[in-house]
């Protein structure tokens, strides 16, 4: 069996990243929308959230659910370019998440959201170029 080439390993790496992102989006969408909206809001970075204040939070995790289904649809189609374009555009969801936290008086996890906002388009560009 011939050794794996760099090109093939790179392709596997990009596929694994895409699978991980699609799975994370689906997971956060299911948990945040249907299972534990309050807990997910607190983990998102709003530690003082209450049942009354998270009434619209499920819309944020609902968008993750739709995004995860989209990414997985493209994975199953064997398409890497479309998820690449999507991840570049998805950075705006990260910008919106950062804005929510910047406006929240007791914010946490802002750095994590900022890093994700940079990583999504970075991997998107790598997928487009693959």
């Amino acid at each position: 069996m011939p050794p794996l080439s760099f090109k093939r390993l790179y392709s596997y790496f990009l596929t694994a990243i895409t699978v991980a992102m699609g799975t994370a989006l689906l997971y956060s969408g299911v948990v945040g929308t249907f299972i534990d909206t309050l807990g997910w809001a607190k983990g998102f970075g709003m530690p003082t959230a209450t049942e009354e204040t998270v009434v619209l939070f499920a819309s944020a995790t609902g968008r993750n659910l739709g995004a995860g289904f989209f990414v997985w649809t493209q994975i199953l189609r064997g398409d890497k370019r479309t998820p690449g374009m999507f991840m570049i555009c998805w950075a705006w969801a990260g910008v919106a998440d950062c804005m929510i936290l910047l406006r929240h008086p007791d914010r946490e996890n802002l750095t994590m959201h900022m890093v994700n906002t940079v990583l999504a388009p970075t991997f998107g560009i790598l997928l487009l170029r693959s």
Side-chain angles (χ1 to χ4, degrees):
M1 182 173 187
L4 290 174
S5 67
F6 174 78
K7 186 175 180 178
R8 180 168 269 180
L9 285 173
Y10 182 66
S11 178
Y12 288 151
F13 169 75
L14 290 177
T15 299
I17 291 294
T18 308
V19 165
M21 289 185 88
T23 302
L25 286 165
L26 283 173
Y27 177 77
S28 67
V30 169
V31 174
T33 304
F34 301 109
I35 298 172
D36 186 14
T37 304
L38 180 59
W40 204 256
K42 289 181 178 193
F44 176 85
M46 297 183 291
T48 58
T50 65
E51 287 291 340
E52 294 79 29
T53 62
V54 296
V55 70
L56 292 176
F57 190 74
S59 66
T61 54
R63 74 168 187 208
N64 290 4
L65 192 56
F69 279 121
F70 176 79
V71 170
W72 265 101
T73 300
Q74 301 312 305
I75 290 168
L76 294 174
R77 290 182 62 235
D79 183 1
K80 285 187 180 161
R81 291 185 52 80
T82 305
M85 288 182 272
F86 169 78
M87 287 182 195
I88 291 168
C89 296
W90 189 250
W92 286 105
V95 169
D97 290 349
C98 289
M99 294 304 297
I100 289 168
L101 291 175
L102 283 169
R103 292 178 179 144
H104 194 276
D106 298 312
R107 68 179 167 265
E108 295 177 355
N109 298 334
L110 178 61
T111 303
M112 176 192 69
H113 288 279
M114 293 171 81
V115 168
N116 291 341
T117 301
V118 171
L119 286 179
T122 301
F123 285 117
I125 291 167
L126 294 175
L127 284 166
L128 281 176
R129 296 185 68 186
S130 69

